[in-house]
Amino acid sequence: MQYVRSGRGRSFSGRFGIGTLAALLALSPQIACADEGGVSFWVPGLYGSLAAVPQQAPGWSATTIYWHDSVSAGGDVARARQITIGNIPANVTATANASVHANLDVGFLIANYAFETPVFGGQASAGFLAAYGANSTSLAGTLTGTVTTPGGTFPFSRSDSINSSIMGFGDVYPQFTLKWNAGVNNYMTYITGDIPVGAYDSARLANIGIGHWAIDAGGGYTYFDQKTGREASAVLGFTYNFKNPATQYQNGVDMHLDWGASQFLTKQWQVGLVGYLYQEIGCDSGSGDRVGCFRSRVQGIGPQVGYIFPVGDMQGYLNLKAYGEFANANRPDGWNVWLTFNLSPAAATPPTSSRPRFTK
């Protein structure tokens, strides 16, 4: 995100999203979110204000993010997690009076390059995201049901208390985006995905990776009035999940809508709101699916504040945002905080005329 003075007066310009990610970009912590046992590829909140505005100048940008997530879920998700880690054998039919709690502290590094040559009239950029962090997850409660054996079916009851922690690298997320500007209107399209190389074990409750490939694509729009500093953004995307080879479980297609609205109070300070809607629109499947369709849903909303400052000949940007979640189904909910620092190329200074000046 950049604010510059030009020969035509003040102007705002910025880039939030897959690329420089000035406010909330593409990462995918994949730890306690939805679908198989409550875990999805997409983490709501990846996009926010000014998501579709092109980067001010071509070149490399770098983004670091500290992300803290604290979530909880009840019986359905707890039962699904126990099935995923192999804690409920296939011959057991059970319901769970249990809960799952997870706390995550993850750092993300995003490197992105915006090309100078236009592609289809827009600005193209490509990059990747890498993650390293810690996940601490606990599950406690009681399972009741029946167990089927060659000798018949018998009542079943068991109390569990499981604590699991992991620290390590997450999956790798390549990303490509195209963005266009037309006055106050800005448009974008993107594609990203998951390369499952992170710390993952299907028998472990806490993980940093998701254990399967995924591809995600979508588009977005930003209205941005440079004279007033007001903007509103929305990005809609869909995720196709490949089958998890360790569990033979395949998540359904996921839909996610991230949005943001903000006002620049000065050339440096920005305040506003951010939010998201996540809805699984396809049913889970595969031979490892023992919980049925298991469509997940969650919504979130919260405040944001941003600060812009020069760093040498680059542009620095700090953003702090927080979400409170609600209206969840088959997915943990809670709250999360994002602290983002972005460093991107500053706008080029208009060249000074080399023609001599003549005075009388």
Side-chain angles (χ1 to χ4, degrees), residues 23-59:
L24 12 127
L25 172 30
L27 35 54
S28 297
Q30 329 314 345
I31 307 133
C33 302
D35 303 344
E36 181 183 9
V39 180
S40 68
F41 163 74
W42 188 264
V43 175
L46 303 186
Y47 287 107
S49 289
L50 298 169
V53 178
Q55 185 169 303
Q56 182 67 28

Side-chain angles (χ1 to χ4, degrees), residues 12-302:
F12 293 89
S13 179
R15 172 182 174 77
F16 293 60
I18 293 183
T20 54
L21 176 61
L24 12 127
L25 172 30
L27 35 54
S28 297
Q30 329 314 345
I31 307 133
C33 302
D35 303 344
E36 181 183 9
V39 180
S40 68
F41 163 74
W42 188 264
V43 175
L46 303 186
Y47 287 107
S49 289
L50 298 169
V53 178
Q55 185 169 303
Q56 182 67 28
W60 284 101
S61 65
T63 301
T64 57
I65 299 172
Y66 166 70
W67 181 68
H68 176 81
D69 189 32
S70 180
V71 293
S72 300
D76 289 344
V77 174
R79 175 175 171 268
R81 292 298 295 137
Q82 296 224 53
I83 291 174
T84 299
I85 65 177
N87 211 32
I88 301 180
N91 65 334
V92 171
T93 301
T95 59
N97 180 16
S99 61
V100 179
H101 302 278
N103 287 285
L104 301 103
D105 293 283
V106 181
F108 301 96
L109 172 63
I110 301 164
N112 186 79
Y113 186 82
F115 298 93
E116 183 174 5
T117 303
V119 176
F120 300 116
Q123 182 189 70
S125 61
F128 67 90
L129 176 148
Y132 185 88
N135 179 6
S136 178
T137 302
S138 62
L139 184 153
T142 302
L143 292 170
T144 58
T146 59
V147 56
T148 301
T149 70
T153 300
F154 302 95
F156 170 87
S157 179
R158 186 182 72 204
S159 295
D160 287 320
S161 180
I162 305 171
N163 293 286
S164 178
S165 298
I166 180 67
M167 179 175 289
F169 288 98
D171 295 346
V172 173
Y173 319 108
Q175 37 199 339
F176 178 81
T177 186
L178 280 173
K179 297 190 175 186
W180 298 266
N181 169 258
V184 298
N185 299 305
N186 300 270
Y187 308 90
M188 68 170 289
T189 184
Y190 77 90
I191 185 169
T192 184
D194 185 286
I195 302 175
V197 296
Y200 174 81
D201 184 340
S202 62
R204 186 172 55 217
L205 190 61
N207 287 295
I208 303 295
I210 60 173
H212 65 82
W213 294 77
I215 187 168
D216 187 280
Y221 170 78
T222 293
Y223 171 84
F224 185 33
D225 188 331
Q226 298 184 11
K227 294 180 181 179
T228 64
R230 296 171 186 165
E231 68 85 27
S233 302
V235 179
L236 177 67
F238 298 86
T239 305
Y240 177 82
N241 298 281
F242 293 86
K243 185 179 294 184
N244 186 331
T247 62
Q248 296 301 303
Y249 193 109
Q250 185 170 10
N251 294 345
V253 174
D254 301 316
M255 180 188 74
H256 47 85
L257 175 68
D258 294 350
W259 60 268
S262 65
Q263 171 70 54
F264 284 87
L265 304 178
T266 70
K267 68 178 183 179
Q268 291 181 295
W269 287 101
Q270 167 206 25
V271 296
L273 292 174
V274 287
Y276 50 72
L277 166 65
Y278 180 96
Q279 175 68 61
E280 187 178 0
I281 59 176
C283 286
D284 296 351
S285 61
S287 60
D289 177 14
R290 294 166 50 202
V291 296
C293 190
F294 207 64
R295 288 192 179 122
S296 56
R297 179 185 70 246
V298 74
Q299 297 185 53
I301 191 170

